[in-house]
Amino acid sequence: MNDDTVIRFTPSCPSSEGKALLCVIEGDASGEIVTLGEGALSIGRRPDNDLVLPSPAVSKYHACVRAESDNFSFEDLASTNGSIINQIRLEPHQARRLYHGDVLTLGDHTIMFRYERGGFADKTGMSTISFDMSEVREEAEKLLGDWIKTDT
């Protein structure tokens, strides 16, 4: 591997054993674990939230997670700094379904969603991509080399 290698790292979090969990893995609330039940769970800086993230980078009422039977969705509540899931920024009030292993970034906090239904049988929506950019460049040069040479 070289400096261009891209790897998705999934930090450790306790086994969810069939329960849906939010595990704070980075930030002032690191180590905090919340079990999700039916209904909505609020996330924010204020102490009246279900999951409190004590940081000025997190809005008072930053986001919520809603549960409906076996489906969980995340919604940013028009927070100042926004929310990111798996390195993709959400629009305000955009609901996004959560899948086991999703990594949420709210301000300076990182949270992992865990939900191992049936021992991780449902992998829908998950992906891990690992590649070496030097190999990609080499393959691209092989494929485009003649075209590039004739075009100049």
Side-chain angles (χ1 to χ4, degrees), residues 58-104:
V58 175
S59 292
K60 294 175 190 174
Y61 302 100
H62 197 105
C64 71
V65 175
R66 290 189 176 81
E68 292 181 21
S69 67
D70 278 346
N71 295 316
F72 296 87
S73 62
F74 178 91
E75 180 182 346
D76 181 275
L77 301 176
S79 62
T80 302
N81 292 321
S83 299
I84 298 169
I85 298 180
N86 300 331
Q87 301 180 349
I88 298 172
R89 183 170 294 279
L90 298 182
E91 295 295 321
H93 299 291
Q94 173 189 356
R96 201 283 206 170
R97 184 173 175 184
L98 293 175
Y99 296 96
H100 174 77
D102 280 348
V103 177
L104 319 172

Short mmCIF file of all heavy atoms in Angstrom, two decimals, residues 58-104:
data_model
loop_
_atom_site.label_atom_id
_atom_site.label_comp_id
_atom_site.label_asym_id
_atom_site.label_seq_id
_atom_site.Cartn_x
_atom_site.Cartn_y
_atom_site.Cartn_z
N VAL A 58 -22.06 21.61 18.16
CA VAL A 58 -23.32 20.89 18.02
C VAL A 58 -24.45 21.85 18.38
O VAL A 58 -24.37 22.57 19.37
CB VAL A 58 -23.35 19.65 18.95
CG1 VAL A 58 -24.69 18.95 18.91
CG2 VAL A 58 -22.23 18.69 18.59
N SER A 59 -25.50 21.89 17.57
CA SER A 59 -26.64 22.77 17.83
C SER A 59 -27.43 22.32 19.05
O SER A 59 -27.35 21.16 19.46
CB SER A 59 -27.56 22.82 16.61
OG SER A 59 -26.91 23.46 15.53
N LYS A 60 -28.22 23.25 19.61
CA LYS A 60 -29.05 22.92 20.78
C LYS A 60 -29.93 21.72 20.51
O LYS A 60 -30.06 20.83 21.34
CB LYS A 60 -29.91 24.13 21.17
CG LYS A 60 -29.11 25.30 21.66
CD LYS A 60 -30.03 26.49 21.91
CE LYS A 60 -29.21 27.73 22.17
NZ LYS A 60 -30.06 28.91 22.27
N TYR A 61 -30.59 21.71 19.37
CA TYR A 61 -31.42 20.58 18.92
C TYR A 61 -30.94 20.26 17.50
O TYR A 61 -31.46 20.77 16.53
CB TYR A 61 -32.90 20.94 18.96
CG TYR A 61 -33.32 21.33 20.36
CD1 TYR A 61 -33.46 22.66 20.73
CD2 TYR A 61 -33.55 20.35 21.33
CE1 TYR A 61 -33.81 23.01 22.02
CE2 TYR A 61 -33.91 20.69 22.63
CZ TYR A 61 -34.02 22.02 22.96
OH TYR A 61 -34.36 22.36 24.25
N HIS A 62 -29.91 19.45 17.42
CA HIS A 62 -29.16 19.23 16.18
C HIS A 62 -29.86 18.27 15.22
O HIS A 62 -29.98 18.55 14.03
CB HIS A 62 -27.77 18.69 16.54
CG HIS A 62 -26.77 18.79 15.44
ND1 HIS A 62 -25.76 19.74 15.45
CD2 HIS A 62 -26.60 18.08 14.32
CE1 HIS A 62 -25.03 19.59 14.35
NE2 HIS A 62 -25.51 18.59 13.65
N ALA A 63 -30.32 17.12 15.74
CA ALA A 63 -30.85 16.08 14.87
C ALA A 63 -31.77 15.15 15.65
O ALA A 63 -31.87 15.25 16.88
CB ALA A 63 -29.71 15.27 14.26
N CYS A 64 -32.43 14.24 14.93
CA CYS A 64 -33.21 13.21 15.61
C CYS A 64 -33.13 11.91 14.82
O CYS A 64 -32.87 11.91 13.62
CB CYS A 64 -34.66 13.65 15.81
SG CYS A 64 -35.63 13.71 14.31
N VAL A 65 -33.32 10.83 15.54
CA VAL A 65 -33.39 9.50 14.93
C VAL A 65 -34.78 8.97 15.21
O VAL A 65 -35.24 8.99 16.35
CB VAL A 65 -32.32 8.55 15.51
CG1 VAL A 65 -32.49 7.15 14.95
CG2 VAL A 65 -30.92 9.09 15.21
N ARG A 66 -35.46 8.54 14.17
CA ARG A 66 -36.82 8.01 14.31
C ARG A 66 -36.82 6.51 14.04
O ARG A 66 -36.15 6.04 13.13
CB ARG A 66 -37.77 8.70 13.34
CG ARG A 66 -38.03 10.14 13.71
CD ARG A 66 -39.16 10.75 12.87
NE ARG A 66 -39.43 12.10 13.31
CZ ARG A 66 -38.72 13.16 12.95
NH1 ARG A 66 -37.70 13.03 12.15
NH2 ARG A 66 -39.04 14.36 13.40
N ALA A 67 -37.59 5.78 14.85
CA ALA A 67 -37.70 4.34 14.69
C ALA A 67 -39.13 3.98 14.32
O ALA A 67 -40.08 4.45 14.95
CB ALA A 67 -37.32 3.64 15.99
N GLU A 68 -39.26 3.16 13.30
CA GLU A 68 -40.56 2.60 12.90
C GLU A 68 -40.33 1.13 12.62
O GLU A 68 -39.71 0.80 11.61
CB GLU A 68 -41.11 3.32 11.68
CG GLU A 68 -41.50 4.76 11.95
CD GLU A 68 -42.07 5.44 10.71
OE1 GLU A 68 -42.52 4.73 9.79
OE2 GLU A 68 -42.04 6.67 10.68
N SER A 69 -40.78 0.28 13.51
CA SER A 69 -40.54 -1.17 13.49
C SER A 69 -39.04 -1.43 13.36
O SER A 69 -38.27 -1.07 14.22
CB SER A 69 -41.39 -1.89 12.46
OG SER A 69 -41.05 -1.54 11.15
N ASP A 70 -38.59 -2.02 12.25
CA ASP A 70 -37.16 -2.34 12.10
C ASP A 70 -36.39 -1.31 11.29
O ASP A 70 -35.25 -1.56 10.90
CB ASP A 70 -37.01 -3.70 11.41
CG ASP A 70 -37.16 -4.84 12.39
OD1 ASP A 70 -37.11 -4.60 13.60
OD2 ASP A 70 -37.34 -5.98 11.92
N ASN A 71 -36.98 -0.18 11.00
CA ASN A 71 -36.32 0.85 10.22
C ASN A 71 -36.00 2.06 11.08
O ASN A 71 -36.83 2.52 11.87
CB ASN A 71 -37.19 1.29 9.04
CG ASN A 71 -37.39 0.17 8.05
OD1 ASN A 71 -36.45 -0.53 7.70
ND2 ASN A 71 -38.63 -0.02 7.62
N PHE A 72 -34.80 2.60 10.89
CA PHE A 72 -34.36 3.78 11.63
C PHE A 72 -33.94 4.85 10.63
O PHE A 72 -33.26 4.54 9.64
CB PHE A 72 -33.20 3.42 12.55
CG PHE A 72 -33.59 2.45 13.61
CD1 PHE A 72 -33.54 1.09 13.37
CD2 PHE A 72 -34.07 2.88 14.84
CE1 PHE A 72 -33.92 0.17 14.33
CE2 PHE A 72 -34.47 1.97 15.81
CZ PHE A 72 -34.39 0.61 15.55
N SER A 73 -34.36 6.08 10.87
CA SER A 73 -33.97 7.16 9.98
C SER A 73 -33.40 8.32 10.79
O SER A 73 -33.76 8.54 11.94
CB SER A 73 -35.16 7.64 9.13
OG SER A 73 -36.17 8.15 9.96
N PHE A 74 -32.50 9.05 10.15
CA PHE A 74 -31.82 10.19 10.76
C PHE A 74 -32.26 11.44 10.04
O PHE A 74 -32.39 11.46 8.82
CB PHE A 74 -30.31 10.01 10.61
CG PHE A 74 -29.50 11.15 11.15
CD1 PHE A 74 -29.05 11.13 12.46
CD2 PHE A 74 -29.19 12.24 10.35
CE1 PHE A 74 -28.31 12.18 12.97
CE2 PHE A 74 -28.45 13.29 10.85
CZ PHE A 74 -28.00 13.26 12.16
N GLU A 75 -32.46 12.52 10.79
CA GLU A 75 -32.83 13.81 10.19
C GLU A 75 -32.07 14.93 10.88
O GLU A 75 -32.10 15.04 12.11
CB GLU A 75 -34.33 14.05 10.32
CG GLU A 75 -34.77 15.36 9.72
CD GLU A 75 -36.27 15.63 9.89
OE1 GLU A 75 -37.01 14.70 10.23
OE2 GLU A 75 -36.68 16.79 9.69
N ASP A 76 -31.42 15.77 10.09
CA ASP A 76 -30.77 16.97 10.61
C ASP A 76 -31.86 18.02 10.77
O ASP A 76 -32.66 18.25 9.87
CB ASP A 76 -29.71 17.48 9.63
CG ASP A 76 -29.02 18.72 10.15
OD1 ASP A 76 -29.55 19.83 9.95
OD2 ASP A 76 -27.96 18.57 10.79
N LEU A 77 -31.92 18.66 11.94
CA LEU A 77 -32.98 19.63 12.24
C LEU A 77 -32.55 21.05 11.92
O LEU A 77 -32.73 21.96 12.71
CB LEU A 77 -33.40 19.50 13.71
CG LEU A 77 -33.92 18.11 14.12
CD1 LEU A 77 -34.20 18.06 15.61
CD2 LEU A 77 -35.16 17.75 13.31
N ALA A 78 -31.97 21.24 10.74
CA ALA A 78 -31.47 22.54 10.28
C ALA A 78 -30.42 23.10 11.24
O ALA A 78 -30.41 24.27 11.57
CB ALA A 78 -32.62 23.53 10.08
N SER A 79 -29.51 22.23 11.65
CA SER A 79 -28.45 22.62 12.57
C SER A 79 -27.49 23.60 11.90
O SER A 79 -27.40 23.66 10.67
CB SER A 79 -27.68 21.38 13.04
OG SER A 79 -27.05 20.76 11.94
N THR A 80 -26.77 24.36 12.70
CA THR A 80 -25.84 25.35 12.18
C THR A 80 -24.71 24.71 11.38
O THR A 80 -24.38 25.16 10.28
CB THR A 80 -25.23 26.18 13.34
OG1 THR A 80 -26.30 26.79 14.05
CG2 THR A 80 -24.28 27.24 12.82
N ASN A 81 -24.10 23.65 11.91
CA ASN A 81 -22.96 23.02 11.25
C ASN A 81 -23.32 21.80 10.41
O ASN A 81 -22.45 21.21 9.79
CB ASN A 81 -21.89 22.65 12.29
CG ASN A 81 -21.26 23.88 12.88
OD1 ASN A 81 -21.01 24.86 12.20
ND2 ASN A 81 -21.00 23.84 14.17
N GLY A 82 -24.58 21.43 10.38
CA GLY A 82 -25.02 20.32 9.55
C GLY A 82 -24.64 18.96 10.10
O GLY A 82 -24.03 18.83 11.15
N SER A 83 -25.04 17.93 9.36
CA SER A 83 -24.77 16.54 9.73
C SER A 83 -24.23 15.80 8.53
O SER A 83 -24.61 16.07 7.39
CB SER A 83 -26.05 15.86 10.21
OG SER A 83 -26.58 16.50 11.34
N ILE A 84 -23.35 14.85 8.80
CA ILE A 84 -22.72 14.06 7.75
C ILE A 84 -22.91 12.59 8.08
O ILE A 84 -22.71 12.18 9.23
CB ILE A 84 -21.21 14.40 7.65
CG1 ILE A 84 -21.04 15.88 7.29
CG2 ILE A 84 -20.51 13.49 6.65
CD1 ILE A 84 -19.62 16.39 7.42
N ILE A 85 -23.33 11.80 7.09
CA ILE A 85 -23.42 10.35 7.26
C ILE A 85 -22.50 9.71 6.23
O ILE A 85 -22.65 9.94 5.03
CB ILE A 85 -24.86 9.83 7.09
CG1 ILE A 85 -25.78 10.43 8.15
CG2 ILE A 85 -24.89 8.30 7.17
CD1 ILE A 85 -27.22 9.97 8.06
N ASN A 86 -21.55 8.93 6.72
CA ASN A 86 -20.58 8.26 5.84
C ASN A 86 -19.94 9.24 4.85
O ASN A 86 -19.85 8.98 3.66
CB ASN A 86 -21.23 7.09 5.10
CG ASN A 86 -21.77 6.04 6.04
OD1 ASN A 86 -21.26 5.86 7.14
ND2 ASN A 86 -22.82 5.36 5.63
N GLN A 87 -19.55 10.39 5.36
CA GLN A 87 -18.86 11.43 4.61
C GLN A 87 -19.72 12.13 3.56
O GLN A 87 -19.20 12.79 2.67
CB GLN A 87 -17.57 10.88 3.99
CG GLN A 87 -16.61 10.34 5.02
CD GLN A 87 -15.34 9.80 4.44
OE1 GLN A 87 -15.19 9.64 3.24
NE2 GLN A 87 -14.38 9.51 5.30
N ILE A 88 -21.05 11.99 3.67
CA ILE A 88 -21.96 12.70 2.77
C ILE A 88 -22.81 13.65 3.60
O ILE A 88 -23.52 13.23 4.52
CB ILE A 88 -22.85 11.71 1.99
CG1 ILE A 88 -21.98 10.81 1.12
CG2 ILE A 88 -23.88 12.46 1.14
CD1 ILE A 88 -22.71 9.67 0.46
N ARG A 89 -22.74 14.95 3.27
CA ARG A 89 -23.49 15.96 4.02
C ARG A 89 -24.97 15.89 3.67
O ARG A 89 -25.34 15.80 2.50
CB ARG A 89 -22.95 17.36 3.70
CG ARG A 89 -23.65 18.47 4.50
CD ARG A 89 -22.95 19.79 4.35
NE ARG A 89 -21.62 19.79 4.93
CZ ARG A 89 -21.36 19.95 6.23
NH1 ARG A 89 -22.35 20.08 7.08
NH2 ARG A 89 -20.12 19.98 6.66
N LEU A 90 -25.81 15.94 4.70
CA LEU A 90 -27.26 15.93 4.49
C LEU A 90 -27.79 17.34 4.37
O LEU A 90 -27.25 18.28 4.96
CB LEU A 90 -27.96 15.26 5.69
CG LEU A 90 -27.64 13.80 5.97
CD1 LEU A 90 -28.46 13.33 7.16
CD2 LEU A 90 -27.93 12.95 4.77
N GLU A 91 -28.86 17.48 3.62
CA GLU A 91 -29.58 18.75 3.56
C GLU A 91 -30.42 18.87 4.84
O GLU A 91 -30.83 17.85 5.41
CB GLU A 91 -30.51 18.78 2.34
CG GLU A 91 -29.77 18.76 1.01
CD GLU A 91 -28.92 19.99 0.79
OE1 GLU A 91 -29.36 21.10 1.16
OE2 GLU A 91 -27.81 19.85 0.25
N PRO A 92 -30.72 20.09 5.29
CA PRO A 92 -31.59 20.25 6.47
C PRO A 92 -32.93 19.57 6.24
O PRO A 92 -33.51 19.65 5.15
CB PRO A 92 -31.76 21.76 6.59
CG PRO A 92 -30.56 22.33 5.90
CD PRO A 92 -30.23 21.36 4.79
N HIS A 93 -33.41 18.87 7.24
CA HIS A 93 -34.69 18.15 7.25
C HIS A 93 -34.77 17.01 6.25
O HIS A 93 -35.85 16.49 5.98
CB HIS A 93 -35.87 19.12 7.06
CG HIS A 93 -35.94 20.14 8.15
ND1 HIS A 93 -36.27 19.82 9.45
CD2 HIS A 93 -35.70 21.47 8.14
CE1 HIS A 93 -36.24 20.91 10.19
NE2 HIS A 93 -35.89 21.93 9.42
N GLN A 94 -33.64 16.61 5.70
CA GLN A 94 -33.59 15.46 4.79
C GLN A 94 -33.51 14.19 5.65
O GLN A 94 -32.57 14.01 6.41
CB GLN A 94 -32.37 15.54 3.88
CG GLN A 94 -32.15 14.30 3.03
CD GLN A 94 -30.81 14.34 2.30
OE1 GLN A 94 -30.07 15.31 2.35
NE2 GLN A 94 -30.50 13.26 1.61
N ALA A 95 -34.52 13.32 5.53
CA ALA A 95 -34.49 12.06 6.27
C ALA A 95 -33.65 11.05 5.48
O ALA A 95 -33.74 10.97 4.27
CB ALA A 95 -35.90 11.53 6.47
N ARG A 96 -32.84 10.31 6.21
CA ARG A 96 -31.96 9.32 5.58
C ARG A 96 -32.01 8.04 6.40
O ARG A 96 -31.82 8.07 7.61
CB ARG A 96 -30.54 9.87 5.55
CG ARG A 96 -29.58 9.27 4.56
CD ARG A 96 -29.06 7.97 4.96
NE ARG A 96 -27.76 7.64 4.41
CZ ARG A 96 -27.10 6.60 4.84
NH1 ARG A 96 -27.58 5.85 5.79
NH2 ARG A 96 -25.94 6.29 4.32
N ARG A 97 -32.32 6.92 5.77
CA ARG A 97 -32.38 5.65 6.49
C ARG A 97 -30.99 5.27 6.99
O ARG A 97 -29.99 5.48 6.30
CB ARG A 97 -32.91 4.55 5.57
CG ARG A 97 -33.09 3.24 6.30
CD ARG A 97 -33.76 2.21 5.45
NE ARG A 97 -33.80 0.95 6.18
CZ ARG A 97 -34.25 -0.17 5.69
NH1 ARG A 97 -34.73 -0.20 4.47
NH2 ARG A 97 -34.23 -1.27 6.40
N LEU A 98 -30.95 4.71 8.19
CA LEU A 98 -29.69 4.26 8.77
C LEU A 98 -29.50 2.76 8.57
O LEU A 98 -30.47 2.00 8.64
CB LEU A 98 -29.66 4.58 10.27
CG LEU A 98 -29.62 6.06 10.64
CD1 LEU A 98 -29.71 6.23 12.15
CD2 LEU A 98 -28.35 6.72 10.10
N TYR A 99 -28.25 2.38 8.33
CA TYR A 99 -27.88 0.98 8.17
C TYR A 99 -26.76 0.66 9.15
O TYR A 99 -25.95 1.54 9.49
CB TYR A 99 -27.41 0.70 6.74
CG TYR A 99 -28.48 0.91 5.71
CD1 TYR A 99 -28.57 2.12 5.02
CD2 TYR A 99 -29.41 -0.08 5.43
CE1 TYR A 99 -29.55 2.32 4.07
CE2 TYR A 99 -30.41 0.12 4.49
CZ TYR A 99 -30.47 1.32 3.82
OH TYR A 99 -31.45 1.53 2.88
N HIS A 100 -26.69 -0.60 9.55
CA HIS A 100 -25.66 -1.04 10.47
C HIS A 100 -24.28 -0.59 9.98
O HIS A 100 -23.93 -0.77 8.82
CB HIS A 100 -25.70 -2.57 10.59
CG HIS A 100 -24.58 -3.12 11.41
ND1 HIS A 100 -24.59 -3.06 12.78
CD2 HIS A 100 -23.42 -3.71 11.06
CE1 HIS A 100 -23.48 -3.61 13.24
NE2 HIS A 100 -22.75 -4.01 12.22
N GLY A 101 -23.53 0.04 10.86
CA GLY A 101 -22.18 0.50 10.51
C GLY A 101 -22.10 1.92 10.02
O GLY A 101 -20.99 2.43 9.83
N ASP A 102 -23.24 2.60 9.82
CA ASP A 102 -23.19 4.00 9.39
C ASP A 102 -22.45 4.85 10.42
O ASP A 102 -22.60 4.66 11.63
CB ASP A 102 -24.60 4.57 9.20
CG ASP A 102 -25.22 4.17 7.88
OD1 ASP A 102 -24.52 3.65 7.00
OD2 ASP A 102 -26.44 4.39 7.72
N VAL A 103 -21.66 5.80 9.92
CA VAL A 103 -20.91 6.70 10.78
C VAL A 103 -21.48 8.11 10.60
O VAL A 103 -21.52 8.65 9.50
CB VAL A 103 -19.40 6.67 10.43
CG1 VAL A 103 -18.64 7.68 11.29
CG2 VAL A 103 -18.84 5.27 10.63
N LEU A 104 -21.96 8.68 11.70
CA LEU A 104 -22.58 10.00 11.71
C LEU A 104 -21.59 11.01 12.28
O LEU A 104 -20.94 10.73 13.29
CB LEU A 104 -23.84 10.01 12.59
CG LEU A 104 -24.76 8.79 12.52
CD1 LEU A 104 -25.84 8.87 13.58
CD2 LEU A 104 -25.36 8.68 11.15
#
